[in-house]
Amino acid sequence: MSVPEKVLTNQDLERMVNTSDEWIRSRTGVSERHISEPHQSASYFAIRAAQEALDRAGVPAESLDIICVATVTADHLFPGTASLVQEAIGAKNAGAFDLGAACAGFIYGCEIVGSMIQNGTVERALLIPVDVLTKFVNWEDRSTCILFGDGGGAIYMEAGDGERGLIAGVMRSDGSGAKHITIDMGGSRYPFCSPESKGRINKIYMAGPEVYRFAVAAMGESCRAVLKKAGMSVDDVDLFVPHQANLRIITAASDRLGLPREKVYIHIEKYGNMAAGSIPIALYEAEREGRLKKGDVLMTVGFGAGLVWGANLIRW
Ligand SMILES: CC(C)(COP(=O)(O)OP(=O)(O)OC[C@H]1O[C@@H](n2cnc3c(N)ncnc32)[C@H](O)[C@@H]1OP(=O)(O)O)[C@@H](O)C(=O)NCCC(=O)NCCS
C-alpha cells in the first residue's frame, strides 16, 4: 500500500471551512486523512504499491503479463496510468490498461483480472486500485472536502490450485444516478478551455443524501447477491471489508446484513474515503493486524460514481 505522508486533521479543517471535529466525526467517522503533494499523482502511489507487492510475492516485474490500474483520477486523460507504472517498474513483457469503476474499482478489477487468469489469457497480473481525489476537492465546500483522502494498494494475482482466491463476484450499475456524484468538466463532454466548459467546474460535486441512500441499499443488495451466487450465508463470512465512505453507511449496511461489528473492518477514521484505494489498503492493514488469515472467507463491497457497485467473496 502507499499513502501520502502529509496528514490533514479535522482540526486543520476547522481552520479552513466552517466545520467542527465533532460534526465530522459524528456524521462521517473520519478524524484525519492523507493528502498528496502537488507532484504526487496517481502513478506515484501506484508505482510504490506495485513494487512492494512484487517484493512480497517474490515475483520479478518482467514476468507480469498484465497491469490494471483501477482509478478515476488518472495522471492524464491519456496515456493510461497503467502504462506509466509498467515502464517505471520494468514490467517489459506486460500489457497495461486503466479501469474506471470509481469506488468499486477493486471489485470490478478482481472480476476482470480474475476472469483473464481463469480463462488463460494471462498468468501473472498486478491489479492496482488507487485514487487521489483530494486533487479535485473544492476546499470551500464543507460537505465534501471533509470526506476524501488519497492512496492505493497493489494486489499480485496468479492462477492457484482453486483452494484459495476468488469465490464469486457481482458487478452492477445504474446510470440514472450519474448526476449525483461527478467531476463535470475536463472530459470530452466539456473539455477544458472550450466554449462548452463555460460555467462548468472541474471539482467534485456530490448530492450527499442521495448517495448515502444509494450506498446503504447497494451494499445490501450486492452482498446478498454474491452470497447467493456462492451458496453461502453471512455466517460463512470471517471478515467484511466494505468501501470506506462513511462510518454510518458501513454500520447501517452491516446491521441490515446481520454482520456482527467484530467481523467488520473499519479504518475510515485514519484515511477518509480513498475511492478505489480504500479496500486494498484495508486488506493490507487487516492482514498486518492479524484479522485476515489464510483460508478466511472475506467479503468486500464497493459503490460509487456511475453509479456503480458490486461485491466479491474471496478465500484469503
Ligand atoms: C456528506 C454527508 C456526510 C452529509 O451528511 P448529512 O447528515 O447527510 O448532512 P446534510 O447534507 O443533510 O447536511 C446537514 C447539515 O449539515 C451541514 N453541513 C454539511 N457539511 C458540514 C460540515 N463539514 N460541517 C458542519 N456542517 C456541515 C449542512 O450544510 C446542513 O446544514 P443545514 O441543515 O443548515 O442546511 C452524507 O450525506 C454522506 O456521507 N453521504 C454519502 C457520501 C458518500 O458516501 N460519498 C462517496 C460515495 S463513494
Side-chain angles (χ1 to χ4, degrees):
M1 61 169 272
S2 178
V3 294
E5 281 174 14
K6 183 175 166 189
V7 171
L8 187 76
T9 65
N10 289 351
Q11 287 72 23
D12 295 329
L13 279 163
E14 283 175 350
R15 291 188 284 276
M16 295 163 64
V17 284
N18 181 13
T19 190
S20 68
D21 173 51
E22 200 282 325
W23 193 96
I24 302 172
R25 275 192 294 107
S26 63
R27 297 298 180 101
T28 71
V30 185
S31 293
E32 57 186 40
R33 65 290 285 144
H34 292 246
I35 307 282
S36 52
E37 301 286 353
H39 68 281
Q40 296 173 323
S41 54
S43 68
Y44 179 94
F45 302 105
I47 290 164
R48 280 156 182 78
Q51 282 162 337
E52 188 187 352
L54 291 179
D55 284 350
R56 287 185 60 191
V59 170
E62 306 85 59
S63 72
L64 289 175
D65 298 313
I66 197 79
I67 297 170
C68 170
V69 173
T71 187
V72 286
T73 50
D75 282 29
H76 312 282
L77 277 178
F78 62 85
T81 300
S83 292
L84 307 181
V85 175
Q86 177 267 322
E87 207 275 328
I89 65 173
K92 58 178 194 279
N93 299 308
F97 69 101
D98 286 7
L99 161 67
C103 307
F106 172 84
I107 311 291
Y108 272 64
C110 281
E111 282 303 288
I112 292 163
V113 176
S115 304
M116 291 168 86
I117 293 172
Q118 277 161 357
N119 70 23
T121 309
V122 301
E123 281 182 22
R124 296 176 158 199
L126 209 49
L127 169 64
I128 313 173
V130 59
D131 270 304
V132 283
L133 277 176
T134 71
K135 308 262 184 207
F136 302 95
V137 156
N138 174 359
W139 292 106
E140 291 175 4
D141 176 3
R142 66 178 181 172
S143 68
T144 54
C145 74
I146 55 158
L147 295 171
F148 300 104
D150 300 329
I155 300 100
Y156 171 70
M157 295 167 73
E158 64 176 20
D161 54 15
E163 280 190 15
R164 295 194 293 139
L166 296 168
I167 301 169
V170 295
M171 294 176 285
R172 304 273 196 253
S173 175
D174 176 8
S176 71
K179 58 183 177 294
H180 293 323
I181 174 162
T182 65
I183 298 176
D184 211 20
M185 198 237 283
S188 58
R189 180 70 185 87
Y190 304 113
F192 281 115
C193 305
S194 65
E196 298 77 38
S197 70
K198 203 158 177 278
R200 303 275 164 183
I201 54 163
N202 67 331
K203 300 290 178 203
I204 295 170
Y205 164 79
M206 186 177 69
E210 281 83 354
V211 176
Y212 188 101
R213 280 192 292 277
F214 147 72
V216 176
M219 281 174 75
E221 187 278 328
S222 52
C223 289
R224 277 188 281 273
V226 79
L227 285 167
K228 188 167 176 216
K229 199 169 175 182
M232 292 175 139
S233 80
V234 282
D235 297 336
D236 298 313
V237 174
D238 295 300
L239 192 69
F240 178 46
V241 177
H243 172 52
Q244 314 269 318
N246 183 317
L247 181 60
R248 289 188 297 145
I249 294 176
I250 295 173
T251 47
S254 350
D255 288 351
R256 284 188 201 180
L257 283 164
L259 275 158
R261 211 49 56 79
E262 64 272 14
K263 284 192 176 181
V264 184
Y265 191 81
I266 297 168
H267 70 170
I268 190 169
E269 67 281 4
K270 289 192 293 179
Y271 295 114
N273 177 352
M274 296 178 285
S278 282
I279 293 176
I281 289 177
L283 298 182
Y284 183 102
E285 297 201 320
E287 186 182 55
R288 196 168 54 184
E289 292 161 19
R291 292 193 55 191
L292 194 50
K293 293 179 286 300
K294 195 173 169 180
D296 279 356
V297 173
L298 163 74
M299 182 163 70
T300 65
V301 61
F303 49 88
L307 302 166
V308 291
W309 69 102
N312 61 21
L313 281 162
I314 298 167
R315 192 172 298 279
W316 193 251

